[in-house]
Amino acid sequence: MAIEYVKVKRNILLGNNPGERYVARLFRGQDMDLDMVAESISNSTTLSYADVLAVLKSLELEISRNVLNGSAAKLGFLGSFIPSIKAKSQEEAEKVDANTIIRFSCRFYPSTKFKHTLKTVKFQEANLEVKGLVE
């Protein structure tokens, strides 16, 4: 199985070769929402859809609860959701307080094993021909 891409024209303004260029862009297809994930897991295991959905919703709540408390949520092979802040620097330590924090965010960091797996991905150009479409 390969990840699909499409060719798109871009107007590059910076760099050594500005002008119109073509680049590959990810062709995502249909995204999976939580219900679709639960249904897929239910179909491939002995667990009911309701049981899987309950666990996934609990996982969702636990990840957000940990991140909002300033802790990382580590999910084994997948990786970690890690909270971070961006803050303004100050010349003196006494001037650093909560008001110097500009933004609180969460980043996902894939595990070392998952990163390695990501490097093995194959790509193929997406077939965008629509059956039955007359030009």
Coordinates of all heavy atoms in Angstrom, one line a residue, residues 48-121:
S48 N -17.4 -4.9 21.1 CA -18.5 -4.3 20.5 C -18.2 -2.8 20.1 O -17.2 -2.3 20.7 CB -19.7 -4.3 21.4 OG -19.5 -3.3 22.5
Y49 N -18.9 -2.3 19.2 CA -18.7 -0.9 18.8 C -18.8 0.1 20.0 O -17.9 0.9 20.2 CB -19.7 -0.5 17.7 CG -19.8 1.0 17.5 CD1 -18.8 1.6 16.6 CD2 -20.8 1.8 18.1 CE1 -18.9 3.0 16.4 CE2 -20.8 3.2 17.9 CZ -19.9 3.8 17.0 OH -20.0 5.1 16.8
A50 N -19.8 -0.2 20.9 CA -20.0 0.7 22.0 C -18.8 0.6 23.0 O -18.4 1.6 23.6 CB -21.3 0.3 22.7
D51 N -18.3 -0.6 23.2 CA -17.1 -0.8 24.1 C -15.9 -0.1 23.5 O -15.2 0.6 24.3 CB -16.8 -2.3 24.3 CG -17.9 -3.0 25.1 OD1 -18.6 -2.3 25.9 OD2 -18.0 -4.2 25.0
V52 N -15.7 -0.2 22.3 CA -14.5 0.4 21.6 C -14.7 1.9 21.7 O -13.7 2.7 22.1 CB -14.3 0.0 20.2 CG1 -13.2 0.8 19.5 CG2 -14.0 -1.5 20.1
L53 N -15.8 2.4 21.4 CA -16.1 3.9 21.4 C -15.9 4.4 22.8 O -15.3 5.5 23.0 CB -17.5 4.2 20.9 CG -17.8 5.7 20.7 CD1 -16.8 6.3 19.7 CD2 -19.2 5.9 20.3
A54 N -16.3 3.7 23.8 CA -16.2 4.1 25.2 C -14.7 4.2 25.6 O -14.3 5.2 26.2 CB -16.9 3.2 26.2
V55 N -13.9 3.3 25.2 CA -12.5 3.3 25.5 C -11.8 4.5 24.7 O -11.0 5.2 25.3 CB -11.8 2.0 25.1 CG1 -10.3 2.1 25.2 CG2 -12.3 0.9 26.0
L56 N -12.1 4.6 23.5 CA -11.5 5.7 22.7 C -11.9 7.1 23.3 O -11.1 8.0 23.3 CB -11.9 5.6 21.2 CG -11.4 4.5 20.4 CD1 -11.9 4.4 19.0 CD2 -9.8 4.5 20.4
K57 N -13.1 7.3 23.7 CA -13.5 8.5 24.3 C -12.8 8.8 25.6 O -12.4 9.9 25.9 CB -15.1 8.6 24.5 CG -15.9 8.7 23.3 CD -15.6 9.9 22.5 CE -16.2 11.2 23.0 NZ -15.9 12.4 22.2
S58 N -12.6 7.7 26.4 CA -11.8 7.8 27.6 C -10.4 8.2 27.3 O -9.8 9.0 28.0 CB -11.9 6.5 28.4 OG -13.2 6.3 28.8
L59 N -9.8 7.6 26.3 CA -8.4 7.9 25.9 C -8.3 9.4 25.5 O -7.4 10.1 25.9 CB -8.0 7.0 24.7 CG -6.6 7.3 24.2 CD1 -5.5 7.0 25.2 CD2 -6.4 6.4 22.9
E60 N -9.3 9.8 24.7 CA -9.3 11.2 24.3 C -9.3 12.1 25.6 O -8.6 13.1 25.6 CB -10.6 11.4 23.5 CG -10.7 12.7 22.7 CD -12.0 12.6 21.9 OE1 -13.1 12.5 22.4 OE2 -11.9 12.8 20.7
L61 N -10.2 11.8 26.5 CA -10.3 12.6 27.7 C -9.0 12.6 28.6 O -8.6 13.6 29.1 CB -11.5 12.2 28.6 CG -12.9 12.5 28.0 CD1 -14.0 11.8 28.8 CD2 -13.1 14.0 27.9
E62 N -8.4 11.4 28.7 CA -7.2 11.3 29.5 C -6.0 12.0 28.8 O -5.2 12.7 29.5 CB -6.8 9.8 29.6 CG -7.6 9.1 30.7 CD -7.6 9.8 32.1 OE1 -6.4 10.1 32.5 OE2 -8.6 10.0 32.7
I63 N -5.9 12.0 27.5 CA -4.8 12.7 26.8 C -5.0 14.2 27.1 O -4.1 14.9 27.5 CB -4.8 12.4 25.3 CG1 -4.3 11.0 25.1 CG2 -3.9 13.4 24.6 CD1 -4.5 10.5 23.7
S64 N -6.2 14.7 26.9 CA -6.4 16.2 27.1 C -6.3 16.5 28.5 O -5.7 17.6 28.8 CB -7.8 16.6 26.6 OG -8.8 15.9 27.2
R65 N -6.7 15.7 29.4 CA -6.5 16.0 30.9 C -5.1 16.1 31.3 O -4.6 17.0 32.0 CB -7.2 14.9 31.7 CG -7.3 15.2 33.2 CD -7.9 14.1 34.0 NE -8.7 13.2 33.2 CZ -10.1 13.1 33.3 NH1 -10.7 13.7 34.2 NH2 -10.7 12.2 32.6
N66 N -4.3 15.1 30.8 CA -2.8 15.2 31.1 C -2.2 16.4 30.5 O -1.4 17.1 31.2 CB -2.1 13.9 30.5 CG -2.2 12.8 31.5 OD1 -1.5 12.7 32.5 ND2 -3.2 11.9 31.3
V67 N -2.4 16.7 29.2 CA -1.8 17.8 28.6 C -2.2 19.1 29.3 O -1.4 20.0 29.5 CB -2.1 17.9 27.1 CG1 -1.7 19.2 26.5 CG2 -1.5 16.7 26.4
L68 N -3.5 19.3 29.6 CA -3.9 20.5 30.3 C -3.4 20.6 31.7 O -3.4 21.7 32.3 CB -5.5 20.5 30.3 CG -6.1 20.7 28.9 CD1 -7.6 20.6 28.9 CD2 -5.7 22.1 28.3
N69 N -2.9 19.5 32.3 CA -2.2 19.6 33.6 C -0.7 19.8 33.4 O 0.0 19.7 34.4 CB -2.5 18.3 34.4 CG -3.9 18.3 35.0 OD1 -4.5 19.4 35.3 ND2 -4.5 17.2 35.1
G70 N -0.2 19.9 32.2 CA 1.2 20.1 32.0 C 2.0 18.8 31.9 O 3.2 18.9 31.9
S71 N 1.4 17.7 31.8 CA 2.1 16.4 31.7 C 2.0 15.8 30.3 O 1.0 16.1 29.5 CB 1.5 15.4 32.6 OG 1.5 15.8 33.9
A72 N 3.0 15.0 29.9 CA 2.9 14.4 28.6 C 2.0 13.2 28.7 O 1.9 12.5 29.7 CB 4.3 14.0 28.2
A73 N 1.4 12.8 27.6 CA 0.6 11.6 27.5 C 1.3 10.7 26.5 O 1.4 11.0 25.3 CB -0.8 11.9 27.0
K74 N 1.9 9.6 27.0 CA 2.7 8.7 26.1 C 1.9 7.5 25.7 O 1.4 6.9 26.5 CB 4.0 8.3 26.9 CG 4.9 9.5 27.2 CD 6.2 9.1 27.9 CE 7.0 10.3 28.2 NZ 8.3 9.9 28.7
L75 N 1.9 7.3 24.4 CA 1.0 6.2 23.8 C 1.9 5.2 23.1 O 1.6 4.8 22.0 CB 0.0 6.8 22.9 CG -1.0 7.8 23.5 CD1 -1.9 8.3 22.4 CD2 -1.7 7.2 24.6
G76 N 2.9 4.7 23.8 CA 3.7 3.5 23.3 C 4.2 3.7 21.9 O 4.9 4.7 21.6
F77 N 3.9 2.8 21.0 CA 4.4 2.8 19.6 C 4.1 4.1 18.9 O 4.8 4.6 18.1 CB 3.8 1.6 18.9 CG 4.2 1.6 17.4 CD1 5.4 1.3 17.0 CD2 3.2 2.0 16.4 CE1 5.8 1.3 15.6 CE2 3.6 2.1 15.1 CZ 4.8 1.7 14.7
L78 N 2.9 4.7 19.1 CA 2.5 5.9 18.4 C 3.4 7.1 18.8 O 3.9 7.7 17.9 CB 1.0 6.3 18.8 CG 0.0 5.6 18.0 CD1 -1.4 6.1 18.4 CD2 0.2 5.8 16.5
G79 N 3.6 7.4 20.0 CA 4.4 8.5 20.4 C 3.7 9.2 21.6 O 2.9 8.7 22.3
S80 N 4.1 10.5 21.7 CA 3.6 11.3 22.9 C 3.0 12.6 22.5 O 3.5 13.3 21.5 CB 4.9 11.6 23.8 OG 5.5 10.4 24.2
F81 N 2.0 13.0 23.2 CA 1.4 14.4 23.2 C 2.1 15.1 24.3 O 1.9 14.8 25.5 CB -0.1 14.3 23.4 CG -0.8 13.7 22.2 CD1 -1.0 12.3 22.2 CD2 -1.3 14.4 21.2 CE1 -1.7 11.7 21.1 CE2 -1.9 13.8 20.1 CZ -2.1 12.5 20.1
I82 N 2.9 16.2 23.9 CA 3.6 16.9 24.9 C 3.2 18.4 25.0 O 3.3 19.0 23.9 CB 5.1 16.7 24.6 CG1 5.5 15.3 24.7 CG2 6.0 17.6 25.6 CD1 6.9 14.9 24.4
P83 N 2.9 18.9 26.2 CA 2.5 20.3 26.2 C 3.8 21.2 26.2 O 4.9 20.7 26.6 CB 1.9 20.4 27.6 CG 2.5 19.3 28.4 CD 2.8 18.2 27.4
S84 N 3.6 22.4 25.7 CA 4.7 23.3 25.6 C 4.2 24.7 25.7 O 3.0 25.0 25.5 CB 5.5 23.1 24.3 OG 4.8 23.5 23.2
I85 N 5.1 25.6 26.1 CA 4.7 27.0 26.1 C 5.7 27.8 25.3 O 6.9 27.4 25.1 CB 4.7 27.6 27.6 CG1 6.1 27.5 28.2 CG2 3.6 26.9 28.4 CD1 6.1 28.2 29.6
K86 N 5.3 29.0 24.8 CA 6.2 30.0 24.2 C 6.1 31.2 25.1 O 5.0 31.6 25.5 CB 5.7 30.3 22.8 CG 6.6 31.3 22.1 CD 6.2 31.6 20.7 CE 7.2 32.6 20.1 NZ 6.8 32.9 18.7
A87 N 7.2 31.8 25.5 CA 7.2 32.9 26.4 C 8.2 34.0 26.0 O 9.2 33.7 25.3 CB 7.6 32.4 27.8
K88 N 7.9 35.2 26.4 CA 8.8 36.3 26.1 C 10.0 36.3 27.1 O 9.8 36.0 28.3 CB 8.1 37.7 26.3 CG 7.0 37.9 25.3 CD 6.4 39.3 25.5 CE 5.2 39.2 26.4 NZ 4.5 40.5 26.6
S89 N 11.2 36.6 26.6 CA 12.3 36.6 27.4 C 12.4 37.9 28.2 O 11.9 38.9 27.8 CB 13.6 36.4 26.6 OG 13.8 37.5 25.8
Q90 N 13.0 37.8 29.4 CA 13.1 39.0 30.3 C 14.6 39.1 30.6 O 15.3 38.1 30.7 CB 12.3 38.8 31.5 CG 10.8 38.6 31.2 CD 10.2 39.8 30.6 OE1 10.4 40.9 31.0 NE2 9.3 39.6 29.6
E91 N 15.1 40.3 30.9 CA 16.4 40.5 31.3 C 16.7 40.0 32.7 O 17.9 39.7 33.0 CB 16.8 42.0 31.1 CG 16.9 42.4 29.7 CD 17.3 43.9 29.5 OE1 17.8 44.4 30.5 OE2 17.1 44.4 28.4
E92 N 15.7 40.0 33.6 CA 15.9 39.6 35.0 C 14.9 38.5 35.3 O 13.7 38.6 34.9 CB 15.7 40.8 35.9 CG 16.6 42.0 35.6 CD 16.2 43.3 36.3 OE1 15.4 43.2 37.2 OE2 16.7 44.3 35.9
A93 N 15.3 37.6 36.1 CA 14.5 36.5 36.5 C 13.2 36.9 37.3 O 12.1 36.3 37.1 CB 15.2 35.5 37.4
E94 N 13.3 38.0 38.0 CA 12.2 38.5 38.8 C 11.0 39.0 37.9 O 9.9 39.1 38.3 CB 12.6 39.7 39.7 CG 13.6 39.3 40.8 CD 15.0 39.1 40.3 OE1 15.4 39.7 39.3 OE2 15.7 38.3 40.9
K95 N 11.4 39.3 36.6 CA 10.3 39.8 35.7 C 9.6 38.7 35.0 O 8.6 39.0 34.3 CB 11.0 40.8 34.7 CG 11.5 42.1 35.2 CD 12.0 43.0 34.2 CE 12.5 44.3 34.8 NZ 13.0 45.2 33.7
V96 N 10.0 37.5 35.1 CA 9.4 36.3 34.5 C 8.2 35.9 35.4 O 8.3 35.6 36.6 CB 10.3 35.1 34.3 CG1 9.6 33.9 33.8 CG2 11.5 35.5 33.4
D97 N 7.0 36.0 34.8 CA 5.8 35.5 35.5 C 4.8 35.0 34.5 O 5.1 34.9 33.3 CB 5.2 36.7 36.3 CG 4.7 37.8 35.5 OD1 4.6 37.7 34.3 OD2 4.5 38.9 36.1
A98 N 3.6 34.6 34.9 CA 2.6 34.0 34.0 C 2.3 35.0 32.8 O 1.9 34.5 31.7 CB 1.4 33.6 34.7
N99 N 2.4 36.3 33.0 CA 2.0 37.2 32.0 C 3.1 37.2 30.8 O 2.8 37.7 29.7 CB 1.9 38.6 32.5 CG 0.7 38.8 33.4 OD1 -0.3 38.2 33.2 ND2 0.9 39.5 34.5
T100 N 4.2 36.6 31.0 CA 5.2 36.6 30.0 C 5.0 35.3 29.1 O 5.7 35.2 28.0 CB 6.7 36.5 30.5 OG1 6.8 35.4 31.4 CG2 6.9 37.8 31.3
I101 N 4.1 34.5 29.4 CA 3.8 33.3 28.6 C 2.8 33.8 27.5 O 1.7 34.3 27.8 CB 3.1 32.2 29.4 CG1 4.2 31.7 30.5 CG2 2.7 31.0 28.5 CD1 3.6 30.7 31.5
I102 N 3.3 33.5 26.3 CA 2.5 34.0 25.1 C 1.5 32.9 24.7 O 0.3 33.2 24.3 CB 3.4 34.3 23.9 CG1 4.4 35.4 24.3 CG2 2.7 34.6 22.6 CD1 5.5 35.6 23.3
R103 N 1.9 31.7 24.7 CA 1.0 30.6 24.1 C 1.3 29.3 24.8 O 2.4 28.9 25.1 CB 1.3 30.5 22.6 CG 0.4 29.4 22.0 CD 0.6 29.4 20.4 NE 2.0 29.0 20.1 CZ 2.8 29.8 19.3 NH1 2.4 30.9 18.8 NH2 4.0 29.4 19.0
F104 N 0.2 28.5 25.0 CA 0.3 27.2 25.5 C -0.2 26.3 24.4 O -1.2 26.6 23.7 CB -0.6 27.0 26.7 CG -0.6 25.6 27.3 CD1 0.5 25.1 28.0 CD2 -1.7 24.7 27.1 CE1 0.5 23.8 28.5 CE2 -1.7 23.4 27.5 CZ -0.6 23.0 28.3
S105 N 0.6 25.2 24.0 CA 0.2 24.4 22.9 C 0.6 22.9 23.3 O 1.2 22.6 24.3 CB 0.8 24.8 21.6 OG 2.2 24.7 21.7
C106 N 0.2 22.1 22.3 CA 0.5 20.6 22.5 C 1.0 20.2 21.1 O 0.5 20.5 20.1 CB -0.8 19.9 22.8 SG -0.6 18.1 22.8
R107 N 2.1 19.4 21.2 CA 2.7 18.8 20.0 C 2.7 17.3 20.1 O 2.8 16.8 21.2 CB 4.1 19.3 19.8 CG 4.1 20.8 19.7 CD 5.3 21.4 19.0 NE 5.6 20.7 17.8 CZ 6.6 21.0 17.0 NH1 7.4 22.0 17.4 NH2 6.8 20.4 15.9
F108 N 2.6 16.7 18.9 CA 2.7 15.2 18.9 C 4.1 14.9 18.4 O 4.6 15.4 17.4 CB 1.6 14.6 17.9 CG 1.8 13.2 17.7 CD1 1.5 12.3 18.7 CD2 2.4 12.7 16.6 CE1 1.7 10.9 18.6 CE2 2.6 11.3 16.4 CZ 2.2 10.4 17.4
Y109 N 4.8 14.0 19.1 CA 6.1 13.5 18.8 C 6.0 12.0 18.6 O 5.7 11.3 19.5 CB 7.1 13.8 19.9 CG 7.4 15.3 20.0 CD1 6.6 16.1 20.9 CD2 8.3 15.9 19.2 CE1 6.9 17.4 21.1 CE2 8.6 17.3 19.4 CZ 7.8 18.0 20.3 OH 8.1 19.4 20.4
P110 N 6.2 11.5 17.3 CA 6.1 10.1 17.1 C 7.3 9.4 17.9 O 8.3 10.0 18.1 CB 6.3 9.9 15.6 CG 6.7 11.2 15.1 CD 6.5 12.3 16.1
S111 N 7.0 8.1 18.3 CA 8.1 7.4 19.0 C 9.2 7.0 18.0 O 9.0 7.2 16.8 CB 7.5 6.0 19.5 OG 7.2 5.2 18.4
T112 N 10.3 6.6 18.5 CA 11.4 6.2 17.6 C 11.0 5.1 16.6 O 11.4 5.2 15.5 CB 12.6 5.8 18.5 OG1 12.9 6.8 19.4 CG2 13.8 5.5 17.6
K113 N 10.3 4.1 17.1 CA 9.9 3.0 16.3 C 8.9 3.5 15.2 O 9.0 3.1 14.0 CB 9.2 1.9 17.1 CG 10.2 1.1 17.9 CD 9.4 0.0 18.6 CE 10.4 -0.8 19.5 NZ 9.7 -1.8 20.3
F114 N 8.0 4.4 15.5 CA 7.0 4.9 14.6 C 7.7 5.8 13.5 O 7.4 5.8 12.4 CB 5.9 5.7 15.3 CG 4.7 6.0 14.4 CD1 4.3 5.2 13.4 CD2 4.0 7.2 14.6 CE1 3.2 5.5 12.6 CE2 2.9 7.6 13.8 CZ 2.5 6.7 12.8
K115 N 8.7 6.6 14.0 CA 9.5 7.4 13.1 C 10.2 6.6 12.0 O 10.2 6.9 10.9 CB 10.6 8.2 13.8 CG 10.1 9.6 14.3 CD 11.4 10.3 14.8 CE 11.0 11.3 15.9 NZ 12.1 11.9 16.5
H116 N 10.8 5.4 12.5 CA 11.4 4.5 11.6 C 10.4 3.9 10.6 O 10.7 3.8 9.4 CB 12.1 3.4 12.4 CG 12.7 2.4 11.5 ND1 13.9 2.6 10.8 CD2 12.4 1.1 11.2 CE1 14.2 1.5 10.1 NE2 13.3 0.6 10.3
T117 N 9.2 3.6 11.1 CA 8.2 3.1 10.2 C 7.8 4.1 9.1 O 7.6 3.8 8.0 CB 7.0 2.6 11.0 OG1 7.4 1.7 12.0 CG2 5.9 2.0 10.1
L118 N 7.7 5.4 9.6 CA 7.4 6.5 8.6 C 8.4 6.6 7.5 O 8.0 7.0 6.4 CB 7.2 7.8 9.4 CG 6.1 7.9 10.4 CD1 6.2 9.2 11.2 CD2 4.7 7.8 9.7
K119 N 9.6 6.2 7.8 CA 10.7 6.3 6.7 C 10.5 5.3 5.7 O 11.1 5.4 4.6 CB 12.0 6.3 7.4 CG 12.4 7.5 8.2 CD 13.8 7.3 8.8 CE 14.1 8.5 9.7 NZ 15.3 8.3 10.4
T120 N 9.7 4.2 5.9 CA 9.6 3.1 5.0 C 8.3 3.3 4.0 O 8.1 2.5 3.2 CB 9.4 1.8 5.7 OG1 8.2 1.8 6.4 CG2 10.6 1.5 6.6
V121 N 7.6 4.4 4.2 CA 6.4 4.7 3.4 C 6.8 4.8 1.9 O 7.8 5.4 1.5 CB 5.7 5.9 3.9 CG1 4.6 6.4 2.9 CG2 5.2 5.7 5.3

